[in-house]
Amino acid sequence: MKASLQLRFSQQLTMTPQLQQAIKLLQLSSQELEAQIIEALETNPLLEQVEPEPDEADTAPPEEQRTDEEMAAAAETEALAVEPTEWSQYDEPGGTRTAASGDGGEYPELAEGPDDLVDHLLWQLNLCTLSAEDRAIGVAIIQSIDEHGYLEGTSEDVVQCLAPEIEVELDEVEAIRHRIQRFDPVGVASLDLTDCLRVQLDALPEDTPARAVALRIVAEGLEVLARQDLDGLQRRVGTDRDTLLAAIELVRSLDPRPGRQVAGADTEYVRPDVTVERRGDSWQVRLHVNLRPQLGINSFYAGMIGSAGRQDADYLRGQLQEARWLLKSLETRNETILKVATAIVAHQQDFFDEGPEAMKPLVLREIAASIDMHESTVSRVTRGKYMATPRGIFEFKYFFSSHVGTADGGECSATAIQAMIRKLIDEEPPRKPLSDAKIAAILNDKGIDVARRTVAKYREGMNIASSSKRKRLF
């Protein structure tokens, strides 16, 4: 084959480092972005943290512009101010704080807050005066409690767990278990639901109204109560109707899963990316103050580039370029988030005016077309970004939902239909809850073409029980 030269033209998209960085920053949540900024500050000497400019809406007016009422309120606040307490005057030279009564007693050292249910119970166990053997039993019991507060297995399993290192009797384990059941939260280390509810009732004062009847319901009538057989339950416990109803309410006030009162995982907090406020007749979107660029170029190191040696100058120039790319990427990220949020608010004006039932159907393609961006870019923005509104804090993707046809040929949002279903269920009579078919018929009467299966799917998606389980006879 004869070799030849040919000239061809082609066009292709190259992922430059700047573009890759911009895409990476765009898909980060505000918490992840903060961690990224901290890492950049620690590794790049050309970056420095700067104080953000105060927001005009958050800036207090100067004194000459304050009204008489504002000046009076400020003066009253200053008059009520008190000096902070000097705790050092109560401290001994050794650093141990003594009782104010001067009796020589010492406060116990304050420990850090408990991390989960097990730590919370162990902390209380350590406050008890127990023998080494009883303490070992208590630790074994606590470490066998699940997240709901129930003992995994039986007391016999605890005995076998301790053997052969520690030989204990079953009644010793039961004695310590009963003691732990009265720890906070009351009812942990129980064997079953009956045991858990009984302990909580035992912890109430003896003169609690209907307490004795509630104990009989827990011991003998939980299955009858679950069937909502009021007459059968009354015959089972042998009491009048008013006392029975009071006892039922008392049982319902108990916690069947006491372990959930103590969080086992770190709470994740949501930090809004934008804030939506009503100004005049329209809704305005502004970038949250935490997202405004708080980085700048360090002028000292930037000024050293001209006088530094070649190797140092090359390093500083590289760091300067990376710093500029980061600042530009942050600015682009914020502009994109603000642009997408503004387009969402403009499309969902009825939601902000009337609530979830007025939500319009919306897909990513519509927002992308309205702001002249690629659909993948809008998708990155809507994940992990939150909007603070007078109706609550919502993730961007909350405002997107599929289209459902209406009788007049129009379209309705799936989110709006879910809000309608929830409202119908909230307003239904407890003795005669609405079935999925009845809810579908009501929505059809309103012109919304929705099937019973669709109603059931939306109801289950909102974790709402079926009509048979929502029914309340008393």
Side-chain angles (χ1 to χ4, degrees):
M1 179 179 291
K2 185 178 179 180
S4 63
L5 294 176
Q6 293 182 347
L7 182 62
R8 293 182 180 179
F9 294 95
S10 63
Q11 187 178 11
Q12 62 181 4
L13 178 63
T14 302
M15 293 286 289
T16 63
Q18 302 95 307
L19 182 58
Q20 294 177 5
Q21 184 181 52
I23 293 175
K24 178 182 178 181
L25 294 180
L26 185 60
Q27 61 191 10
L28 297 179
S29 65
S30 57
Q31 289 90 340
E32 293 170 339
L33 178 65
E34 182 179 2
Q36 191 78 15
I37 291 177
I38 293 175
E39 181 181 353
L41 285 170
E42 293 176 347
T43 57
N44 193 334
L46 269 297
L47 281 174
E48 66 178 359
Q49 191 167 8
V50 297
E51 291 295 332
E53 295 182 2
D55 189 1
E56 294 180 0
D58 299 333
T59 304
E63 291 192 5
E64 58 269 15
Q65 296 181 6
R66 291 186 180 180
T67 62
D68 294 339
E69 292 79 3
E70 291 173 337
M71 294 289 290
E76 182 179 357
T77 302
E78 293 177 1
L80 293 175
V82 295
E83 293 295 328
T85 304
E86 285 292 340
W87 289 108
S88 58
Q89 61 182 317
Y90 299 106
D91 291 342
E92 293 294 322
T96 302
R97 186 174 300 166
T98 58
S101 60
D103 56 2
E106 295 182 354
Y107 293 111
E109 183 179 355
L110 297 179
E112 295 182 359
D115 296 329
D116 54 20
L117 178 62
V118 172
D119 290 336
H120 185 54
L121 296 175
L122 289 175
W123 173 71
Q124 296 175 76
L125 183 70
N126 291 332
L127 297 179
C128 300
T129 303
L130 299 172
S131 63
E133 181 178 282
D134 289 344
R135 189 175 302 278
I137 296 173
V139 171
I141 292 174
I142 290 174
Q143 291 180 343
S144 301
I145 295 176
D146 63 19
E147 60 181 1
H148 299 300
Y150 289 90
L151 185 68
E152 294 181 332
T154 63
S155 297
E156 289 84 353
D157 295 332
V158 176
V159 174
Q160 295 177 3
C161 178
L162 292 172
E165 288 81 4
I166 303 177
E167 295 292 337
V168 296
E169 300 294 333
L170 181 60
D171 57 350
E172 296 179 273
V173 174
E174 279 292 283
I176 299 299
R177 187 179 70 84
H178 291 325
R179 187 165 185 173
I180 294 175
Q181 281 185 291
R182 285 157 179 79
F183 283 4
D184 175 58
V186 178
V188 295
S190 296
L191 300 175
D192 51 35
L193 178 61
T194 299
D195 188 24
C196 178
L197 300 182
R198 178 188 56 77
V199 171
Q200 296 180 50
L201 288 172
D202 285 339
L204 297 176
E206 293 185 2
D207 58 352
T208 301
R211 174 176 174 269
V213 178
L215 282 169
R216 289 203 296 273
I217 292 176
V218 168
E220 306 173 11
L222 281 181
E223 293 183 1
V224 183
L225 177 62
R227 295 196 304 267
Q228 303 190 54
D229 183 0
L230 191 59
D231 295 332
L233 186 62
Q234 185 174 359
R235 291 192 299 270
R236 178 71 64 89
V237 299
T239 187
D240 60 89
R241 183 59 61 95
D242 292 339
T243 304
L244 178 66
L245 294 177
I248 291 174
E249 289 302 318
L250 182 58
V251 172
R252 286 178 173 172
S253 68
L254 306 176
D255 192 347
R257 297 181 180 88
R260 296 186 303 178
Q261 297 179 25
V262 181
D266 295 335
T267 304
E268 295 185 3
Y269 296 93
V270 171
R271 181 179 300 171
D273 297 84
V274 297
T275 302
V276 181
E277 299 172 330
R278 189 176 187 88
R279 295 185 180 179
D281 297 332
S282 62
W283 293 94
Q284 302 294 327
V285 183
R286 63 180 176 88
L287 201 65
H288 200 272
V289 64
N290 291 329
L291 286 185
R292 296 174 184 173
Q294 298 181 6
L295 298 178
I297 302 296
N298 189 300
S299 57
F300 174 76
Y301 287 108
M304 291 177 58
I305 296 179
S307 58
R310 180 175 180 179
Q311 185 175 359
D312 292 337
D314 290 343
Y315 169 76
L316 291 175
R317 286 193 190 95
Q319 294 297 309
L320 178 60
Q321 186 65 40
E322 290 185 8
R324 287 174 176 170
W325 286 349
L326 178 60
L327 294 177
K328 179 60 178 177
S329 298
L330 289 174
E331 183 179 354
T332 302
R333 177 184 188 274
N334 294 340
E335 291 175 353
T336 305
I337 291 176
L338 185 60
K339 187 179 295 186
V340 172
T342 303
I344 292 174
V345 172
H347 188 91
Q348 300 290 5
Q349 288 279 343
D350 293 342
F351 165 82
F352 294 97
D353 291 333
E354 304 174 24
E357 295 177 32
M359 185 83 77
K360 293 181 179 179
L362 181 64
V363 294
L364 295 174
R365 182 177 60 257
E366 298 177 58
I367 294 297
S370 65
I371 60 178
D372 195 22
M373 285 187 176
H374 196 274
E375 190 173 336
S376 62
T377 302
V378 178
S379 176
R380 291 187 180 94
V381 173
T382 57
R383 291 197 301 266
K385 314 299 186 303
Y386 292 85
M387 181 183 299
T389 75
R391 296 188 179 275
I393 298 178
F394 303 93
E395 192 173 5
F396 281 21
K397 66 180 182 181
Y398 169 79
F399 298 94
F400 295 84
S401 60
S402 57
H403 301 65
V404 177
T406 59
D408 58 0
E411 294 178 333
C412 182
S413 167
T415 303
I417 295 176
Q418 292 177 10
M420 296 178 190
I421 294 173
R422 182 178 292 277
K423 183 178 181 180
L424 289 172
I425 293 176
D426 290 341
E427 296 176 352
E428 68 184 5
R431 294 177 179 268
K432 193 176 181 181
L434 300 174
S435 64
D436 295 338
K438 181 61 176 177
I439 294 175
I442 295 175
L443 294 177
N444 289 332
D445 292 339
K446 294 182 179 181
I448 300 175
D449 187 12
V450 61
R452 182 198 62 80
R453 294 189 303 273
T454 305
V455 172
K457 182 182 70 173
Y458 288 162
R459 174 181 55 76
E460 292 171 357
M462 294 184 290
N463 295 321
I464 298 177
S466 62
S467 58
S468 59
K469 294 182 179 180
R470 298 198 308 270
K471 188 175 182 180
R472 294 289 181 267
L473 297 179
F474 44 85

